Amino acid sequence: MLNLMKKYGTYIAFILAFGLMLAYGVEWVRDGIAGVIDIALGPLTDTFGLPFFAVLLFLSSATGLYSSLIQKYTIDYEKMQEVQAKMKEFQMKFREAQLAGDEKAIKKLEAKRDAMMKDQLEMSQQQFKPMAYIILITVPIFFWLLYRLHGMDLGAALTMDTAIVFPFLGIISLNDMAIWILPAWILWYMICSLTVSQVIRKALNIGGI
């Protein structure tokens, strides 16, 4: 059973993640999942009284943390860097052989190309592995955020619970469009998550995806 989970775990995770994304369009399923998540996350606002922008900061920071950890333990970064270095060296040698018109060297390098491309394809596929696990955790969090935002009276006077301050934009509602079709709450979530993840990646010495 353990071997089967190890072999097919990623595929199962992708199926579940795809199912979760489809659930976004089914309100009762989305709200049902959000209701379950609310048991754990609801106290952040209901009990501890955190303003919603602070809740977004907390959750987005958590997203940056678990995303970085999942990537660290599902991607072989040492091998990836090794493959990238070999590919760079191969491309340089191939280019030099072409410029020199060295047909013998070109044929020799072309014989190695398939193996190089195979390694690069394997690394590219490996980078997709953590996506399913990250989606499985992140999508329910977004369901809960939407659930809570829909329950707020965002049409009333702006307060710490319903607004956020952005440079150049001033105080705006969490549901207002900050950039084009991007709501303020999603923009704030992305900024916090990316900032925290960069710090964690540096600390863990891992690259980006």
Side-chain angles (χ1 to χ4, degrees):
M1 178 63 73
L2 187 61
N3 289 333
L4 286 174
M5 287 298 294
K6 185 176 181 180
K7 185 176 181 180
Y8 298 108
T10 302
Y11 298 105
I12 294 171
F14 263 114
I15 292 171
L16 292 174
F18 183 70
L20 269 179
M21 289 188 289
L22 289 178
Y24 176 80
V26 185
E27 186 176 353
W28 67 269
V29 175
R30 185 179 70 235
D31 288 348
I33 294 172
V36 174
I37 302 298
D38 193 54
I39 297 172
L41 299 182
L44 290 175
T45 56
D46 299 339
T47 303
F48 299 106
L50 289 178
F52 210 75
F53 77 86
V55 173
L56 287 167
L57 172 61
F58 171 77
L59 293 177
S60 59
S61 298
T63 298
L65 175 61
Y66 66 69
S67 296
S68 299
L69 290 175
I70 289 172
Q71 289 166 12
K72 177 176 175 60
Y73 293 107
T74 55
I75 296 177
D76 188 341
Y77 280 98
E78 289 185 3
K79 185 175 181 181
M80 185 174 71
Q81 291 171 354
E82 182 182 336
V83 170
Q84 289 174 342
K86 286 182 178 178
M87 180 57 71
K88 186 177 180 180
E89 182 182 359
F90 172 84
Q91 290 173 340
M92 184 176 66
K93 288 182 178 179
F94 192 80
R95 180 63 176 166
E96 289 175 352
Q98 284 182 318
L99 291 173
D102 190 340
E103 295 295 331
K104 184 178 180 181
I106 290 173
K107 288 181 180 180
K108 186 177 179 181
L109 289 168
E110 284 178 341
K112 295 181 179 180
R113 179 183 286 173
D114 288 343
M116 295 292 298
M117 294 302 292
K118 184 179 178 181
D119 287 342
Q120 193 172 41
L121 179 61
E122 183 182 337
M123 287 295 97
S124 297
Q125 291 174 340
Q126 191 180 103
Q127 291 182 38
F128 283 99
K129 285 184 179 181
M131 289 178 61
Y133 301 107
I134 293 169
I135 289 171
L136 277 176
I137 302 173
T138 306
V139 171
I141 291 175
F142 267 73
F143 285 175
W144 180 78
L145 290 171
L146 289 168
Y147 175 79
R148 280 287 179 151
L149 283 165
H150 289 163
M152 291 181 180
D153 185 7
L154 296 176
L158 296 179
T159 66
M160 288 185 65
D161 289 325
T162 62
I164 191 168
V165 180
F166 278 114
F168 306 110
L169 297 176
I171 301 175
I172 60 174
S173 169
L174 290 166
N175 268 355
D176 282 348
M177 299 303 160
I179 299 178
W180 194 32
I181 60 171
L182 196 64
W185 73 270
I186 292 182
L187 178 61
W188 176 243
Y189 192 99
M190 290 171 58
I191 291 171
C192 296
S193 180
L194 289 171
T195 302
V196 171
S197 64
Q198 288 304 310
V199 174
I200 295 171
R201 289 175 193 280
K202 186 69 176 179
L204 297 177
N205 193 29
I206 61 177
I209 282 187

